[in-house]
mmCIF file of all heavy atoms in Angstrom:
data_model
loop_
_atom_site.group_PDB
_atom_site.id
_atom_site.type_symbol
_atom_site.label_atom_id
_atom_site.label_comp_id
_atom_site.label_asym_id
_atom_site.label_seq_id
_atom_site.Cartn_x
_atom_site.Cartn_y
_atom_site.Cartn_z
ATOM 1 N N LYS P 1130 -14.720 16.007 7.939
ATOM 2 C CA LYS P 1130 -16.033 16.650 7.768
ATOM 3 C C LYS P 1130 -17.039 16.231 8.842
ATOM 4 O O LYS P 1130 -18.146 16.772 8.890
ATOM 5 C CB LYS P 1130 -16.597 16.334 6.378
ATOM 6 C CG LYS P 1130 -15.760 16.881 5.219
ATOM 7 C CD LYS P 1130 -16.367 16.513 3.879
ATOM 8 C CE LYS P 1130 -15.625 17.147 2.709
ATOM 9 N NZ LYS P 1130 -14.237 16.685 2.611
ATOM 10 N N LEU P 1131 -16.670 15.251 9.685
ATOM 11 C CA LEU P 1131 -17.576 14.800 10.738
ATOM 12 C C LEU P 1131 -17.784 15.898 11.781
ATOM 13 O O LEU P 1131 -16.868 16.661 12.092
ATOM 14 C CB LEU P 1131 -17.017 13.561 11.435
ATOM 15 C CG LEU P 1131 -17.009 12.252 10.663
ATOM 16 C CD1 LEU P 1131 -16.296 11.174 11.481
ATOM 17 C CD2 LEU P 1131 -18.433 11.807 10.330
ATOM 18 N N THR P 1132 -18.971 15.947 12.334
ATOM 19 C CA THR P 1132 -19.261 16.894 13.409
ATOM 20 C C THR P 1132 -18.521 16.478 14.668
ATOM 21 O O THR P 1132 -18.499 15.296 15.025
ATOM 22 C CB THR P 1132 -20.772 16.943 13.692
ATOM 23 O OG1 THR P 1132 -21.461 17.284 12.489
ATOM 24 C CG2 THR P 1132 -21.087 17.966 14.778
ATOM 25 N N SER P 1133 -17.902 17.414 15.345
ATOM 26 C CA SER P 1133 -17.176 17.088 16.577
ATOM 27 C C SER P 1133 -18.163 16.617 17.644
ATOM 28 O O SER P 1133 -19.321 17.014 17.662
ATOM 29 C CB SER P 1133 -16.390 18.298 17.071
ATOM 30 O OG SER P 1133 -17.245 19.396 17.296
ATOM 31 N N SER P 1134 -17.664 15.762 18.542
ATOM 32 C CA SER P 1134 -18.533 15.136 19.537
ATOM 33 C C SER P 1134 -18.427 15.825 20.894
ATOM 34 O O SER P 1134 -17.492 16.577 21.168
ATOM 35 C CB SER P 1134 -18.164 13.655 19.692
ATOM 36 O OG SER P 1134 -16.919 13.526 20.355
ATOM 37 N N VAL P 1135 -19.379 15.526 21.761
ATOM 38 C CA VAL P 1135 -19.383 16.062 23.129
ATOM 39 C C VAL P 1135 -18.150 15.575 23.883
ATOM 40 O O VAL P 1135 -17.492 16.340 24.604
ATOM 41 C CB VAL P 1135 -20.672 15.642 23.872
ATOM 42 C CG1 VAL P 1135 -20.601 16.057 25.336
ATOM 43 C CG2 VAL P 1135 -21.897 16.257 23.218
ATOM 44 N N LEU P 1136 -17.800 14.289 23.712
ATOM 45 C CA LEU P 1136 -16.625 13.734 24.391
ATOM 46 C C LEU P 1136 -15.342 14.401 23.910
ATOM 47 O O LEU P 1136 -14.433 14.673 24.699
ATOM 48 C CB LEU P 1136 -16.550 12.222 24.159
ATOM 49 C CG LEU P 1136 -17.640 11.382 24.818
ATOM 50 C CD1 LEU P 1136 -17.528 9.928 24.379
ATOM 51 C CD2 LEU P 1136 -17.544 11.486 26.339
ATOM 52 N N GLU P 1137 -15.258 14.653 22.629
ATOM 53 C CA GLU P 1137 -14.099 15.332 22.064
ATOM 54 C C GLU P 1137 -13.916 16.709 22.694
ATOM 55 O O GLU P 1137 -12.797 17.102 23.061
ATOM 56 C CB GLU P 1137 -14.271 15.466 20.547
ATOM 57 C CG GLU P 1137 -13.198 16.266 19.854
ATOM 58 C CD GLU P 1137 -13.503 16.509 18.375
ATOM 59 O OE1 GLU P 1137 -14.473 15.927 17.859
ATOM 60 O OE2 GLU P 1137 -12.781 17.304 17.743
ATOM 61 N N HIS P 1138 -15.005 17.442 22.862
ATOM 62 C CA HIS P 1138 -14.941 18.766 23.473
ATOM 63 C C HIS P 1138 -14.556 18.681 24.946
ATOM 64 O O HIS P 1138 -13.781 19.498 25.450
ATOM 65 C CB HIS P 1138 -16.282 19.486 23.334
ATOM 66 C CG HIS P 1138 -16.478 20.121 21.987
ATOM 67 N ND1 HIS P 1138 -15.717 21.171 21.537
ATOM 68 C CD2 HIS P 1138 -17.357 19.832 20.989
ATOM 69 C CE1 HIS P 1138 -16.095 21.514 20.319
ATOM 70 N NE2 HIS P 1138 -17.089 20.715 19.960
ATOM 71 N N ALA P 1139 -15.083 17.680 25.639
ATOM 72 C CA ALA P 1139 -14.826 17.545 27.069
ATOM 73 C C ALA P 1139 -13.366 17.209 27.354
ATOM 74 O O ALA P 1139 -12.727 17.820 28.222
ATOM 75 C CB ALA P 1139 -15.735 16.466 27.660
ATOM 76 N N GLU P 1140 -12.822 16.241 26.614
ATOM 77 C CA GLU P 1140 -11.449 15.792 26.843
ATOM 78 C C GLU P 1140 -10.428 16.593 26.041
ATOM 79 O O GLU P 1140 -9.230 16.532 26.322
ATOM 80 C CB GLU P 1140 -11.322 14.309 26.447
ATOM 81 C CG GLU P 1140 -12.154 13.353 27.284
ATOM 82 C CD GLU P 1140 -11.365 12.725 28.423
ATOM 83 O OE1 GLU P 1140 -10.271 13.235 28.752
ATOM 84 O OE2 GLU P 1140 -11.850 11.729 28.982
ATOM 85 N N LYS P 1141 -10.928 17.327 25.032
ATOM 86 C CA LYS P 1141 -10.048 18.021 24.082
ATOM 87 C C LYS P 1141 -9.129 16.999 23.387
ATOM 88 O O LYS P 1141 -7.916 17.199 23.259
ATOM 89 C CB LYS P 1141 -9.220 19.104 24.783
ATOM 90 C CG LYS P 1141 -10.071 20.225 25.378
ATOM 91 C CD LYS P 1141 -10.830 20.985 24.297
ATOM 92 C CE LYS P 1141 -11.609 22.171 24.842
ATOM 93 N NZ LYS P 1141 -12.800 21.802 25.630
ATOM 94 N N LEU P 1142 -9.758 15.925 22.898
ATOM 95 C CA LEU P 1142 -9.057 14.860 22.185
ATOM 96 C C LEU P 1142 -9.817 14.572 20.903
ATOM 97 O O LEU P 1142 -10.916 14.004 20.922
ATOM 98 C CB LEU P 1142 -8.967 13.594 23.048
ATOM 99 C CG LEU P 1142 -8.167 13.716 24.352
ATOM 100 C CD1 LEU P 1142 -8.278 12.444 25.164
ATOM 101 C CD2 LEU P 1142 -6.697 14.049 24.054
ATOM 102 N N GLU P 1143 -9.219 14.940 19.783
ATOM 103 C CA GLU P 1143 -9.909 14.873 18.498
ATOM 104 C C GLU P 1143 -10.239 13.447 18.077
ATOM 105 O O GLU P 1143 -11.239 13.198 17.402
ATOM 106 C CB GLU P 1143 -9.058 15.552 17.429
ATOM 107 C CG GLU P 1143 -9.778 15.759 16.114
ATOM 108 C CD GLU P 1143 -8.921 16.498 15.097
ATOM 109 O OE1 GLU P 1143 -7.721 16.736 15.366
ATOM 110 O OE2 GLU P 1143 -9.439 16.828 14.022
ATOM 111 N N GLN P 1144 -9.417 12.463 18.497
ATOM 112 C CA GLN P 1144 -9.644 11.087 18.082
ATOM 113 C C GLN P 1144 -10.956 10.510 18.628
ATOM 114 O O GLN P 1144 -11.472 9.521 18.095
ATOM 115 C CB GLN P 1144 -8.468 10.189 18.486
ATOM 116 C CG GLN P 1144 -8.240 10.050 19.990
ATOM 117 C CD GLN P 1144 -7.279 11.078 20.548
ATOM 118 O OE1 GLN P 1144 -7.239 12.211 20.078
ATOM 119 N NE2 GLN P 1144 -6.501 10.689 21.538
ATOM 120 N N LEU P 1145 -11.504 11.143 19.662
ATOM 121 C CA LEU P 1145 -12.785 10.679 20.195
ATOM 122 C C LEU P 1145 -13.925 10.919 19.209
ATOM 123 O O LEU P 1145 -14.987 10.307 19.324
ATOM 124 C CB LEU P 1145 -13.081 11.361 21.537
ATOM 125 C CG LEU P 1145 -12.162 10.942 22.692
ATOM 126 C CD1 LEU P 1145 -12.471 11.748 23.941
ATOM 127 C CD2 LEU P 1145 -12.281 9.453 22.968
ATOM 128 N N ARG P 1146 -13.704 11.786 18.243
ATOM 129 C CA ARG P 1146 -14.711 12.000 17.204
ATOM 130 C C ARG P 1146 -14.923 10.710 16.409
ATOM 131 O O ARG P 1146 -16.064 10.354 16.074
ATOM 132 C CB ARG P 1146 -14.277 13.119 16.262
ATOM 133 C CG ARG P 1146 -15.314 13.491 15.218
ATOM 134 C CD ARG P 1146 -14.797 14.539 14.246
ATOM 135 N NE ARG P 1146 -14.183 15.677 14.930
ATOM 136 C CZ ARG P 1146 -13.636 16.708 14.305
ATOM 137 N NH1 ARG P 1146 -13.616 16.744 12.978
ATOM 138 N NH2 ARG P 1146 -13.103 17.701 14.991
ATOM 139 N N ALA P 1147 -13.846 10.005 16.130
ATOM 140 C CA ALA P 1147 -13.961 8.740 15.391
ATOM 141 C C ALA P 1147 -14.700 7.696 16.227
ATOM 142 O O ALA P 1147 -15.622 7.038 15.731
ATOM 143 C CB ALA P 1147 -12.577 8.233 14.999
ATOM 144 N N LEU P 1148 -14.314 7.535 17.491
ATOM 145 C CA LEU P 1148 -14.979 6.547 18.341
ATOM 146 C C LEU P 1148 -16.448 6.882 18.552
ATOM 147 O O LEU P 1148 -17.311 5.996 18.532
ATOM 148 C CB LEU P 1148 -14.268 6.448 19.695
ATOM 149 C CG LEU P 1148 -12.841 5.898 19.708
ATOM 150 C CD1 LEU P 1148 -12.347 5.766 21.139
ATOM 151 C CD2 LEU P 1148 -12.757 4.566 18.990
ATOM 152 N N SER P 1149 -16.743 8.155 18.735
ATOM 153 C CA SER P 1149 -18.128 8.570 18.972
ATOM 154 C C SER P 1149 -19.022 8.284 17.773
ATOM 155 O O SER P 1149 -20.236 8.107 17.916
ATOM 156 C CB SER P 1149 -18.184 10.060 19.312
ATOM 157 O OG SER P 1149 -17.511 10.341 20.519
ATOM 158 N N ASN P 1150 -18.426 8.238 16.592
ATOM 159 C CA ASN P 1150 -19.194 7.960 15.374
ATOM 160 C C ASN P 1150 -19.127 6.494 14.958
ATOM 161 O O ASN P 1150 -19.551 6.138 13.855
ATOM 162 C CB ASN P 1150 -18.698 8.853 14.238
ATOM 163 C CG ASN P 1150 -19.236 10.272 14.340
ATOM 164 O OD1 ASN P 1150 -20.359 10.560 13.943
ATOM 165 N ND2 ASN P 1150 -18.442 11.170 14.915
ATOM 166 N N GLY P 1151 -18.603 5.645 15.863
ATOM 167 C CA GLY P 1151 -18.647 4.208 15.627
ATOM 168 C C GLY P 1151 -17.508 3.621 14.821
ATOM 169 O O GLY P 1151 -17.557 2.454 14.433
ATOM 170 N N TYR P 1152 -16.448 4.402 14.576
ATOM 171 C CA TYR P 1152 -15.310 3.904 13.797
ATOM 172 C C TYR P 1152 -14.277 3.256 14.722
ATOM 173 O O TYR P 1152 -14.125 3.636 15.874
ATOM 174 C CB TYR P 1152 -14.667 5.036 13.010
ATOM 175 C CG TYR P 1152 -15.552 5.592 11.918
ATOM 176 C CD1 TYR P 1152 -16.242 6.796 12.105
ATOM 177 C CD2 TYR P 1152 -15.719 4.914 10.725
ATOM 178 C CE1 TYR P 1152 -17.066 7.301 11.110
ATOM 179 C CE2 TYR P 1152 -16.546 5.412 9.720
ATOM 180 C CZ TYR P 1152 -17.210 6.608 9.927
ATOM 181 O OH TYR P 1152 -18.033 7.101 8.942
ATOM 182 N N LYS P 1153 -13.566 2.263 14.187
ATOM 183 C CA LYS P 1153 -12.559 1.531 14.943
ATOM 184 C C LYS P 1153 -11.172 2.145 14.742
ATOM 185 O O LYS P 1153 -10.799 2.517 13.625
ATOM 186 C CB LYS P 1153 -12.513 0.071 14.496
ATOM 187 C CG LYS P 1153 -13.753 -0.744 14.870
ATOM 188 C CD LYS P 1153 -13.754 -1.088 16.339
ATOM 189 C CE LYS P 1153 -14.843 -2.113 16.641
ATOM 190 N NZ LYS P 1153 -14.870 -2.465 18.088
#
Side-chain angles (χ1 to χ4, degrees):
K1130 297 179 175 63
L1131 289 175
T1132 303
S1133 58
S1134 71
V1135 173
L1136 292 174
E1137 175 187 352
H1138 279 294
E1140 296 264 16
K1141 297 297 184 288
L1142 297 174
E1143 190 177 7
Q1144 64 269 34
L1145 291 176
R1146 185 184 311 179
L1148 294 185
S1149 296
N1150 282 279
Y1152 293 102
K1153 291 285 191 180

